[in-house]
Amino acid sequence: MNHLLQQFKSGQLSLDERQELLVLVEAHPDLLTAEIMQMIAEEEGNPAKYATSSDWSAVLNKVFTVDKGQVYGKLSLIRVVKWLSAAIIVIAASFSMFFFLNKKKDHVYTADVLPGNNKAILTLADGKKISLSDAVTGDIAEQSGISISKTADGQIVYSIAKTANVEDDRKNTISTPNGGEWKIKLPDGSLVWLNAASSLTYSLNIATAKQRSVELQGEAYFEVAKDKAHPFIVSTSRQKVEVLGTHFNINSYPDEQVTKTTLLEGSIRVLHNKTQEAEILQPGEQSIVSAAGIKVNEVDTDEFVAWTKGYFMFNNERQESIMRKLARWYNVEVEYADEAARNVMYYGTVSRFEKVSKVLRKFEQTGEVRFDIKASKIIVHKE
């Protein structure tokens, strides 16, 4: 969505991008209203006079349907903004009237579930386990001259003493349960955010080894410290990712059929474990690794790192996929009373730090699904 708005504001929307924006505007006018109205206000100072269109569908198609290969130049931008804003206002009014006339009483939940929070377990090379959420601030362990400390804001920091054994390749693992997340600073200076139900394994000599290798299960966002002499390798069950210094997200849960790697900056090389197929990703690209091979797409990266900023972002995503995410974060089971409910599609953004009932109400506003909460189980119904 963000990249489409930027292209729209600069007057450079391709045919495919215009059609994509058309679909988004038709389905979710509220996401663009403030943006468009601000643009009109800056140009003419009276956005209200453009709220007179009576056929929003025709307006949208007139705005976005042009000869193939043509792009909007800056001279036509104001006209496009006027048409689009009128359409948006009418759509919003239509939706408001629809929900006013068809408003039903809010569904009453008999139970609720709190969101996840910062919690993780550190498993040392000798097998000792430390609950990081329960550990006090300060030094919590020492291994081979490596001091492991917890800062006041909960971050785990590793410090390497001059006498540390740089040949020590024993491994530590940080793991988060369902309903947990954690941020860690590795000995080489790299930062890693672990999502719920995830684990990261790394050697004690990661800062000095020829290759800075880690193993991931689940989902993590990486900001890798630059070091051209020591490549950073992330291994999962389906792939290996090699970087020199960059920002990227990997989603590799066992219950997902594919592994998604999304690049925000820099470049990375993705290698398929079985086929040995390899792809180089550029910023804004995502690789999808399946049993068949690797596919690369351009994506809106905001959607795939939203969890690191405290919210869920869904872009026409199936309810079944969404519920897997909620199950991990809220530590609940999901049951489908109606199989058809798995295939309901949803587009929107919601905070990860609301009670689960508030998140579910957002989905219920589509009129497609209904939920019941019983203890730590969510039951999904098709309306």
Side-chain angles (χ1 to χ4, degrees), residues 115-355:
N117 52 37
N118 287 333
K119 51 189 171 187
I121 299 292
L122 171 62
T123 303
L124 302 177
D126 61 7
K128 180 180 179 181
K129 295 183 182 293
I130 299 172
S131 172
L132 298 180
S133 48
D134 296 332
V136 297
T137 301
D139 290 347
I140 57 177
E142 283 194 11
Q143 292 180 331
S144 303
I146 298 178
S147 174
I148 307 171
S149 301
K150 179 180 177 181
T151 63
D153 63 357
Q155 182 174 325
I156 298 301
V157 178
Y158 287 69
S159 301
I160 303 176
K162 292 181 179 180
T163 58
N165 180 3
V166 297
E167 300 299 325
D168 193 341
D169 60 358
R170 291 182 299 161
K171 295 181 178 181
N172 283 350
T173 298
I174 287 186
S175 55
T176 55
N178 284 340
E181 64 179 3
W182 203 265
K183 179 182 177 181
I184 179 174
K185 184 176 182 180
L186 294 172
D188 70 330
S190 297
L191 296 175
V192 184
W193 285 255
L194 276 182
N195 205 347
S198 302
S199 68
L200 186 77
T201 300
Y202 48 93
S203 63
L204 297 180
N205 66 345
I206 187 173
T208 56
K210 287 185 177 181
Q211 289 189 341
R212 298 173 288 166
S213 298
V214 301
E215 299 166 24
L216 171 69
Q217 179 172 294
E219 183 169 24
Y221 172 72
F222 294 83
E223 292 187 357
V224 176
K226 297 188 187 314
D227 185 350
K228 292 183 179 180
H230 301 89
F232 194 99
I233 311 293
V234 183
S235 298
T236 72
S237 61
R238 298 187 182 100
Q239 69 179 29
K240 283 186 174 62
V241 173
E242 179 178 343
V243 305
L244 297 178
T246 187
H247 298 181
F248 59 99
N249 190 85
I250 299 179
N251 182 310
S252 185
Y253 284 105
D255 59 351
E256 300 289 349
Q257 295 183 349
V258 298
T259 295
K260 295 181 179 180
T261 303
T262 309
L263 182 64
L264 280 74
E265 65 176 60
S267 65
I268 59 178
R269 178 175 180 265
V270 180
L271 176 67
H272 196 293
N273 287 345
K274 290 185 178 180
T275 67
Q276 296 302 297
E277 178 184 356
E279 294 284 352
I280 304 295
L281 298 190
Q282 301 301 322
E285 291 184 337
Q286 179 185 82
S287 65
I288 301 176
V289 172
S290 64
I294 304 177
K295 181 180 178 181
V296 177
N297 297 321
E298 290 188 6
V299 297
D300 181 351
T301 58
D302 287 350
E303 176 186 348
F304 300 95
V305 298
W307 68 271
T308 68
K309 301 174 183 178
Y311 58 96
F312 295 106
M313 182 179 287
F314 307 118
N315 185 0
N316 202 28
E317 188 168 343
R318 290 179 70 235
Q319 192 74 52
E320 184 176 23
S321 174
I322 292 173
M323 295 310 294
R324 285 198 297 270
K325 294 177 180 179
L326 297 189
R328 297 181 197 119
W329 182 236
Y330 288 93
N331 192 21
V332 295
E333 295 179 41
V334 176
E335 178 181 304
Y336 291 88
D338 304 283
E339 286 298 307
R342 296 177 185 269
N343 297 318
V344 172
M345 309 302 286
Y346 183 79
Y347 184 102
T349 301
V350 62
S351 171
R352 275 165 58 98
F353 296 106
E354 301 285 0
K355 291 182 178 180

Side-chain angles (χ1 to χ4, degrees), residues 64-83:
F64 289 108
T65 303
V66 296
D67 292 337
K68 190 170 184 179
Q70 179 182 352
V71 295
Y72 290 125
K74 291 186 177 180
L75 292 177
S76 62
L77 177 60
I78 295 175
R79 179 170 57 84
V80 173
V81 170
K82 292 177 181 178
W83 278 104

